[in-house]
């Protein structure tokens, strides 16, 4: 690195502010220059926009970066359009978030209310300037408060080249899903120059949309798996490059492993580790900074995750093992889980034996705990499938296992070296 490794107090203060901006620890990545990895997914999205009649569904677990992907899509599209220099009008791109009270009509009211008509052309995000009158698109198109599928299709046809991103689509009541697939089929059949991108938490596309028999040809499925260790490392290297900060190789590996494929934790721990290095007046992030960053990441974690963890482990009895079992389950989920996240009770025996520092911990010691972690009183932290003696478990919230491991390290329940060894085995 070209910068001196040591920092003056003034430079450290500036770098701390820059580090707060370089990492997206509190929300999705929104700037193209801060986006790392996911080349396959962004390429498939851009290809979908480039093919008339093709639309896209982005789906995956909570926390894998779906919103970040679609947040940077407009910047990628703008760069693509500028390089094409084809003389076509600017593309209209609108992204809205759905919620549990939405319907087909209310989502499209949200979308159309983001669009204004300026000098006979649609535009997004503008507000009236002195001497210039902008008209809401719904007025231009003559759309009411309860537009039908055909109304929306005709309205979109007036706009021309456009992309409409509906995030958190899974929150919309299922009864409205059919109208969205009807619209996708209609836009495809009429060759309308527009792309709809649906985004939501789901394991399969069938979990997200109610499929038409003939709509599958119009939808490109873009699953979002957890990020690989190299992709997570790229997030840290890119941020370090922008900041003039060097992450020691050991620090990158450990942050990436602790994140378990979820970029949220890479951003959170990475940011906290940089803060600690800067407070030491150093541009080099070492393992001791990661260790300190874990402490701060636990304190700054999403309160919802924190509350779920506390509900899962709460016990009035001294010597209760719920916290220990939860950490062991999180390690099992990281190292033994199949593609759907399920793990077997036997996978807890080795980590729990090490955590409790006993010669052996049989399944009977913690089997009851696993059962209770599936119950309402413990927040239904786990879900269980199968029959007795062959049960399999997984965490309902994918953000909880990394948090449980970080919390276990922070609370002194588990040795960081043990965690590092177990997570390193995951890469082999």
């Amino acid at each position: 690195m070209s910068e001196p490794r040591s920092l003056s107090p003034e430079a450290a203060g500036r770098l701390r502010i820059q580090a707060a901006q370089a990492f997206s620890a509190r929300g999705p990545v929104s700037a193209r220059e801060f986006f790392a990895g996911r080349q396959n997914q962004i390429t498939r999205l851009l290809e979908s926009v480039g093919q008339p009649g093709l639309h896209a569904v982005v789906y995956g677990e909570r926390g894998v970066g779906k919103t970040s992907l679609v947040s940077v899509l407009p910047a990628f599209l703008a760069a693509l359009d500028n390089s094409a220099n084809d003389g076509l009008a600017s593309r209209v791109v609108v992204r809205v978030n759905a919620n549990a009270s939405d319907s087909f009509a209310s989502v499209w009211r949200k979308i159309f209310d983001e669009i204004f008509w300026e000098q006979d052309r649609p535009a997004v995000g503008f507000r009236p300037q002195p001497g210039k009158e902008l008209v809401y698109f719904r007025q231009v198109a003559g759309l009411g408060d309860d537009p039908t599928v055909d109304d929306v299709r005709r309205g979109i046809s007036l706009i021309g080249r456009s992309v409409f991103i509906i995030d958190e689509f899974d929150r919309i009541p299922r009864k409205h899903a059919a109208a969205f697939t009807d619209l996708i089929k209609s836009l495809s059949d009429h060759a309308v120059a527009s792309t709809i991108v649906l985004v939501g938490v789901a394991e399969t596309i069938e979990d997200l949309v109610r499929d038409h028999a003939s709509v599958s040809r119009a939808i490109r499925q873009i699953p979002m798996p957890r990020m690989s260790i190299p992709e997570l490392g790229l997030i840290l290297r890119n941020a370090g490059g922008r900041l003039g900060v060097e992450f020691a190789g050991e620090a990158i590996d450990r942050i990436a492993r602790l994140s378990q494929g979820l970029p949220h934790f890479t951003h959170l721990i990475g940011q906290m580790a940089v803060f600690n290095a800067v407070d030491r007046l150093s541009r080099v992030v070492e393992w001791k900074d990661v260790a300190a960053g874990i402490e701060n990441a636990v304190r700054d974690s999403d309160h919802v995750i924190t509350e779920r963890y506390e509900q899962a482990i709460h016990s009035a009895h001294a010597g209760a093992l719920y916290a220990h079992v939860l950490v062991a389950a999180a390690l099992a989920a990281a190292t033994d889980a199949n593609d759907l996240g399920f793990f077997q009770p036997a996978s807890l025996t080795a980590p729990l034996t090490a955590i409790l520092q006993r010669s052996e911990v049989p399944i009977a010691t913690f089997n009851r705990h696993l059962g209770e972690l599936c119950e309402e009183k413990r927040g239904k932290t786990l879900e269980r499938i199968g029959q007795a003696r062959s049960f399999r478990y997984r965490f309902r919230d994918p953000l909880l296992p990394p948090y449980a491991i970080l919390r276990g390290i922070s609370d002194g329940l588990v040795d960081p070296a043990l965690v590092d060894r177990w997570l390193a085995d995951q890469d082999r």
Side-chain angles (χ1 to χ4, degrees):
M1 50 190 290
S2 57
E3 295 86 353
R5 289 177 171 242
S6 60
L7 292 163
S8 67
E10 295 76 14
R14 291 193 297 270
L15 188 53
R16 215 177 196 280
I17 294 172
Q18 293 167 354
Q21 299 169 339
F23 292 94
S24 298
R26 297 292 176 269
V29 176
S30 57
R32 182 186 175 195
E33 61 268 25
F34 292 163
F35 189 73
R38 299 300 192 191
Q39 290 304 306
N40 177 265
Q41 285 78 16
I42 197 69
T43 298
R44 287 170 62 81
L45 262 180
L46 293 173
E47 289 173 350
S48 301
V49 174
Q51 296 184 43
L54 188 60
H55 305 267
V57 174
V58 179
Y59 61 96
E61 294 176 282
R62 181 186 174 206
V64 294
K66 300 181 298 297
T67 297
S68 292
L69 180 75
V70 295
S71 293
V72 299
L73 179 60
F76 277 96
L77 286 171
L80 192 65
D81 290 344
N82 289 337
S83 65
N85 194 25
D86 52 16
L88 296 175
S90 298
R91 194 188 310 267
V92 171
V93 183
V94 179
R95 181 173 71 87
V96 298
N97 282 11
N99 58 56
S101 64
D102 269 323
S103 64
F104 175 83
S106 68
V107 167
W108 285 99
R109 284 200 304 271
K110 287 182 187 180
I111 291 173
F112 289 147
D113 284 348
E114 292 292 323
I115 304 173
F116 299 83
W117 216 257
E118 179 191 33
Q119 297 177 346
D120 299 324
R121 301 177 78 174
V124 178
F126 292 98
R127 293 294 181 270
Q129 302 296 318
K132 184 182 294 185
E133 182 178 357
L134 302 181
V135 182
Y136 275 106
F137 171 70
R138 281 209 289 150
Q139 294 176 260
V140 174
L143 294 170
D145 289 338
D146 192 23
T148 65
V149 169
D150 285 337
D151 291 336
V152 172
R153 175 183 57 78
R154 285 191 287 267
I156 291 175
S157 298
L158 293 175
I159 297 171
R161 297 202 312 162
S162 52
V163 179
F164 302 106
I165 303 165
I166 304 173
D167 202 355
E168 300 190 57
F169 183 77
D170 55 293
R171 298 188 64 193
I172 300 174
R174 295 281 297 179
K175 63 183 179 181
H176 300 300
F180 288 92
T181 50
D182 284 339
L183 175 62
I184 287 172
K185 183 176 186 302
S186 182
L187 291 171
S188 181
D189 289 346
H190 288 81
V192 177
S194 179
T195 303
I196 294 176
V197 180
L198 305 179
V199 186
V201 175
E203 291 177 357
T204 67
I205 189 174
E206 288 77 15
D207 292 334
L208 198 61
V209 297
R210 185 175 302 156
D211 208 1
H212 247 287
S214 57
V215 79
S216 58
R217 63 177 174 80
I219 292 179
R220 168 161 285 178
Q221 302 183 36
I222 304 178
M224 289 278 286
R226 296 194 179 200
M227 296 183 78
S228 66
I229 296 294
E231 283 183 312
L232 296 173
L234 185 60
I235 291 175
L236 298 169
R237 289 187 175 90
N238 284 358
R242 290 190 299 273
L243 296 170
V245 167
E246 178 185 338
F247 280 89
E250 182 183 57
I252 287 180
D253 290 344
R254 288 180 171 176
I255 293 173
R257 288 174 185 147
L258 285 168
S259 301
Q260 293 186 39
L262 303 177
H264 164 75
F265 285 101
T266 302
H267 283 275
L268 180 59
I269 304 171
Q271 183 186 74
M272 296 300 172
V274 170
F275 284 168
N276 195 73
V278 169
D279 289 345
R280 294 191 297 104
L281 302 182
S282 173
R283 289 183 180 273
V284 181
V285 179
E286 302 173 2
W287 169 237
K288 61 185 176 183
D289 300 308
V290 176
I294 289 171
E295 297 280 343
N296 293 327
V298 167
R299 285 197 295 271
D300 279 30
S301 286
D302 187 320
H303 73 92
V304 174
I305 297 298
T306 303
E307 289 174 0
R308 286 177 179 168
Y309 177 86
E310 295 292 350
Q311 183 178 2
I313 69 166
H314 176 73
S315 176
H317 300 291
L321 297 179
Y322 292 103
H324 304 79
V325 170
L326 200 64
V327 174
L331 288 168
T335 56
D336 184 56
N338 62 20
D339 290 341
L340 296 178
F342 286 100
F343 57 89
Q344 297 177 328
S347 301
L348 274 69
T349 56
L352 193 56
T353 295
I355 290 169
L356 296 175
Q357 298 182 14
R358 299 179 184 176
S359 59
E360 183 181 2
V361 177
I363 293 177
T365 303
F366 58 84
N367 211 27
R368 175 179 60 84
H369 297 75
L370 290 177
E372 288 190 18
L373 286 168
C374 298
E375 297 174 2
E376 187 70 45
K377 67 179 180 180
R378 299 204 175 274
K380 293 186 175 180
T381 301
L382 301 178
E383 64 175 305
R384 178 174 63 191
I385 65 169
Q387 304 297 321
R389 298 186 181 279
S390 61
F391 285 133
R392 291 188 298 156
Y393 299 83
R394 70 173 171 182
F395 283 83
R396 289 182 176 273
D397 187 337
L399 294 179
L400 191 53
Y403 176 82
I405 293 173
L406 296 178
R407 181 69 177 268
I409 294 172
S410 178
D411 291 348
L413 294 179
V414 59
D415 186 339
L418 171 67
V419 172
D420 193 45
R421 187 175 76 246
W422 244 278
L423 296 183
D425 288 342
Q426 180 186 16
D427 302 336
R428 298 192 181 105

